Amino acid sequence: MKKYLFTLTTTLLVTLGYAQTTDVPDAEILPLEHPRHFFHLDIGNAIAGGAGVTPDSTIETERTQSPVFGLGYDYNLNDRISLGVVAAYQRFNSTVNDTLGALLEEGAINRIYTGARFILHYGKGDVVRFYSGFRGGLVFFNSGNISGPAAANSRIEDENNRYRISIALIPIAMRLRITEEFGAHLQTNFGAPYWFNLGLNYTLK
């Protein structure tokens, strides 16, 4: 997963650097107009410390996780401000063993995020634009199929069927316009559902 994100990030950064040093004809990249509809697909990573089972002196726990997959929609109020909605999904596989290493239970945990965001765009480039903002929403945890000797009294199920409020900051991000409609983006975050994500976007007038 880390190698995959590193490769995508490197490719995007190289493309951004090329775009900043290459003259793009006005007929290919037009000035940003408003209002516009902005759709985006994302892949990223997250710490997600709330998913899993709290270890104690009687058990040992292990956890693996998938990337975070997301999608969203923004409406550009003007050239500087947009409002949007975001949804994301991440899956975890949790294993609980006793202190001798014998399996007690194992199962899946789903993390689903839904929220809204406020974005402030800055910079005057028609090819590369920067933005910052904040996001607020709900994070839902629910358990999937659970198996093992202790499944009837599952701690995975007890500790992972809940929800919480999440407030997140987007300190800095960048968007590259590849064509009039299609683009790519790279974004840093403090808070759910990502700490880092990148993706593709489509703009519709």
Side-chain angles (χ1 to χ4, degrees), residues 54-67:
T54 305
D56 58 32
S57 60
T58 64
I59 62 170
E60 298 176 348
T61 63
E62 298 178 2
R63 188 187 74 175
T64 59
Q65 63 192 60
S66 74

PDB file of all heavy atoms in Angstrom, residues 54-67:
ATOM      1  N   THR A  54      -9.483  -3.281  21.998  1.00  0.00           N
ATOM      2  CA  THR A  54      -8.523  -2.744  22.963  1.00  0.00           C
ATOM      3  C   THR A  54      -7.782  -3.887  23.645  1.00  0.00           C
ATOM      4  O   THR A  54      -8.402  -4.734  24.293  1.00  0.00           O
ATOM      5  CB  THR A  54      -9.233  -1.892  24.018  1.00  0.00           C
ATOM      6  OG1 THR A  54     -10.000  -0.873  23.368  1.00  0.00           O
ATOM      7  CG2 THR A  54      -8.230  -1.256  24.965  1.00  0.00           C
ATOM      8  N   PRO A  55      -6.458  -3.957  23.511  1.00  0.00           N
ATOM      9  CA  PRO A  55      -5.722  -5.067  24.129  1.00  0.00           C
ATOM     10  C   PRO A  55      -5.651  -4.926  25.651  1.00  0.00           C
ATOM     11  O   PRO A  55      -5.718  -3.825  26.191  1.00  0.00           O
ATOM     12  CB  PRO A  55      -4.322  -4.945  23.507  1.00  0.00           C
ATOM     13  CG  PRO A  55      -4.208  -3.510  23.125  1.00  0.00           C
ATOM     14  CD  PRO A  55      -5.588  -3.062  22.753  1.00  0.00           C
ATOM     15  N   ASP A  56      -5.544  -6.057  26.334  1.00  0.00           N
ATOM     16  CA  ASP A  56      -5.344  -6.056  27.785  1.00  0.00           C
ATOM     17  C   ASP A  56      -4.435  -7.225  28.142  1.00  0.00           C
ATOM     18  O   ASP A  56      -3.820  -7.837  27.269  1.00  0.00           O
ATOM     19  CB  ASP A  56      -6.686  -6.104  28.539  1.00  0.00           C
ATOM     20  CG  ASP A  56      -7.523  -7.315  28.173  1.00  0.00           C
ATOM     21  OD1 ASP A  56      -6.947  -8.387  27.869  1.00  0.00           O
ATOM     22  OD2 ASP A  56      -8.763  -7.217  28.185  1.00  0.00           O
ATOM     23  N   SER A  57      -4.348  -7.569  29.422  1.00  0.00           N
ATOM     24  CA  SER A  57      -3.411  -8.594  29.871  1.00  0.00           C
ATOM     25  C   SER A  57      -3.832 -10.007  29.495  1.00  0.00           C
ATOM     26  O   SER A  57      -3.045 -10.944  29.624  1.00  0.00           O
ATOM     27  CB  SER A  57      -3.234  -8.503  31.394  1.00  0.00           C
ATOM     28  OG  SER A  57      -4.486  -8.696  32.055  1.00  0.00           O
ATOM     29  N   THR A  58      -5.066 -10.179  28.982  1.00  0.00           N
ATOM     30  CA  THR A  58      -5.563 -11.523  28.684  1.00  0.00           C
ATOM     31  C   THR A  58      -5.591 -11.846  27.196  1.00  0.00           C
ATOM     32  O   THR A  58      -5.812 -12.993  26.823  1.00  0.00           O
ATOM     33  CB  THR A  58      -6.985 -11.703  29.243  1.00  0.00           C
ATOM     34  OG1 THR A  58      -7.880 -10.793  28.566  1.00  0.00           O
ATOM     35  CG2 THR A  58      -7.023 -11.414  30.737  1.00  0.00           C
ATOM     36  N   ILE A  59      -5.381 -10.842  26.344  1.00  0.00           N
ATOM     37  CA  ILE A  59      -5.480 -11.071  24.899  1.00  0.00           C
ATOM     38  C   ILE A  59      -4.359 -10.355  24.169  1.00  0.00           C
ATOM     39  O   ILE A  59      -3.728  -9.438  24.698  1.00  0.00           O
ATOM     40  CB  ILE A  59      -6.833 -10.604  24.335  1.00  0.00           C
ATOM     41  CG1 ILE A  59      -7.000  -9.087  24.543  1.00  0.00           C
ATOM     42  CG2 ILE A  59      -7.993 -11.381  24.930  1.00  0.00           C
ATOM     43  CD1 ILE A  59      -8.176  -8.489  23.811  1.00  0.00           C
ATOM     44  N   GLU A  60      -4.146 -10.782  22.923  1.00  0.00           N
ATOM     45  CA  GLU A  60      -3.275 -10.098  21.977  1.00  0.00           C
ATOM     46  C   GLU A  60      -4.084  -9.833  20.715  1.00  0.00           C
ATOM     47  O   GLU A  60      -4.903 -10.666  20.316  1.00  0.00           O
ATOM     48  CB  GLU A  60      -2.046 -10.947  21.660  1.00  0.00           C
ATOM     49  CG  GLU A  60      -1.169 -11.225  22.872  1.00  0.00           C
ATOM     50  CD  GLU A  60      -0.006 -12.149  22.541  1.00  0.00           C
ATOM     51  OE1 GLU A  60      -0.029 -12.738  21.426  1.00  0.00           O
ATOM     52  OE2 GLU A  60       0.898 -12.292  23.377  1.00  0.00           O
ATOM     53  N   THR A  61      -3.865  -8.695  20.096  1.00  0.00           N
ATOM     54  CA  THR A  61      -4.674  -8.327  18.934  1.00  0.00           C
ATOM     55  C   THR A  61      -3.788  -8.004  17.735  1.00  0.00           C
ATOM     56  O   THR A  61      -2.650  -7.536  17.875  1.00  0.00           O
ATOM     57  CB  THR A  61      -5.560  -7.105  19.241  1.00  0.00           C
ATOM     58  OG1 THR A  61      -4.728  -5.974  19.523  1.00  0.00           O
ATOM     59  CG2 THR A  61      -6.455  -7.385  20.433  1.00  0.00           C
ATOM     60  N   GLU A  62      -4.332  -8.244  16.553  1.00  0.00           N
ATOM     61  CA  GLU A  62      -3.691  -7.881  15.295  1.00  0.00           C
ATOM     62  C   GLU A  62      -4.744  -7.246  14.396  1.00  0.00           C
ATOM     63  O   GLU A  62      -5.934  -7.566  14.485  1.00  0.00           O
ATOM     64  CB  GLU A  62      -3.099  -9.112  14.598  1.00  0.00           C
ATOM     65  CG  GLU A  62      -2.012  -9.814  15.384  1.00  0.00           C
ATOM     66  CD  GLU A  62      -1.499 -11.056  14.677  1.00  0.00           C
ATOM     67  OE1 GLU A  62      -1.981 -11.327  13.550  1.00  0.00           O
ATOM     68  OE2 GLU A  62      -0.644 -11.750  15.234  1.00  0.00           O
ATOM     69  N   ARG A  63      -4.275  -6.359  13.519  1.00  0.00           N
ATOM     70  CA  ARG A  63      -5.209  -5.678  12.635  1.00  0.00           C
ATOM     71  C   ARG A  63      -4.530  -5.329  11.323  1.00  0.00           C
ATOM     72  O   ARG A  63      -3.399  -4.860  11.304  1.00  0.00           O
ATOM     73  CB  ARG A  63      -5.721  -4.391  13.295  1.00  0.00           C
ATOM     74  CG  ARG A  63      -6.848  -3.717  12.536  1.00  0.00           C
ATOM     75  CD  ARG A  63      -7.191  -2.389  13.143  1.00  0.00           C
ATOM     76  NE  ARG A  63      -6.195  -1.357  12.852  1.00  0.00           N
ATOM     77  CZ  ARG A  63      -6.321  -0.075  13.189  1.00  0.00           C
ATOM     78  NH1 ARG A  63      -7.393   0.327  13.860  1.00  0.00           N
ATOM     79  NH2 ARG A  63      -5.374   0.795  12.881  1.00  0.00           N
ATOM     80  N   THR A  64      -5.211  -5.607  10.223  1.00  0.00           N
ATOM     81  CA  THR A  64      -4.772  -5.132   8.907  1.00  0.00           C
ATOM     82  C   THR A  64      -5.872  -4.241   8.343  1.00  0.00           C
ATOM     83  O   THR A  64      -7.037  -4.341   8.751  1.00  0.00           O
ATOM     84  CB  THR A  64      -4.501  -6.304   7.949  1.00  0.00           C
ATOM     85  OG1 THR A  64      -5.704  -7.081   7.791  1.00  0.00           O
ATOM     86  CG2 THR A  64      -3.397  -7.205   8.497  1.00  0.00           C
ATOM     87  N   GLN A  65      -5.508  -3.382   7.415  1.00  0.00           N
ATOM     88  CA  GLN A  65      -6.486  -2.441   6.889  1.00  0.00           C
ATOM     89  C   GLN A  65      -6.287  -2.192   5.408  1.00  0.00           C
ATOM     90  O   GLN A  65      -5.179  -2.304   4.882  1.00  0.00           O
ATOM     91  CB  GLN A  65      -6.411  -1.119   7.655  1.00  0.00           C
ATOM     92  CG  GLN A  65      -5.081  -0.396   7.521  1.00  0.00           C
ATOM     93  CD  GLN A  65      -4.962   0.747   8.516  1.00  0.00           C
ATOM     94  OE1 GLN A  65      -5.014   0.529   9.734  1.00  0.00           O
ATOM     95  NE2 GLN A  65      -4.805   1.952   8.005  1.00  0.00           N
ATOM     96  N   SER A  66      -7.384  -1.857   4.757  1.00  0.00           N
ATOM     97  CA  SER A  66      -7.354  -1.510   3.331  1.00  0.00           C
ATOM     98  C   SER A  66      -7.074  -0.018   3.187  1.00  0.00           C
ATOM     99  O   SER A  66      -7.115   0.730   4.173  1.00  0.00           O
ATOM    100  CB  SER A  66      -8.702  -1.849   2.693  1.00  0.00           C
ATOM    101  OG  SER A  66      -9.681  -0.909   3.100  1.00  0.00           O
ATOM    102  N   PRO A  67      -6.800   0.453   1.975  1.00  0.00           N
ATOM    103  CA  PRO A  67      -6.798   1.904   1.743  1.00  0.00           C
ATOM    104  C   PRO A  67      -8.191   2.470   2.010  1.00  0.00           C
ATOM    105  O   PRO A  67      -9.178   1.736   2.111  1.00  0.00           O
ATOM    106  CB  PRO A  67      -6.423   2.031   0.265  1.00  0.00           C
ATOM    107  CG  PRO A  67      -5.839   0.719  -0.113  1.00  0.00           C
ATOM    108  CD  PRO A  67      -6.486  -0.306   0.754  1.00  0.00           C
TER     109      PRO A  67
END
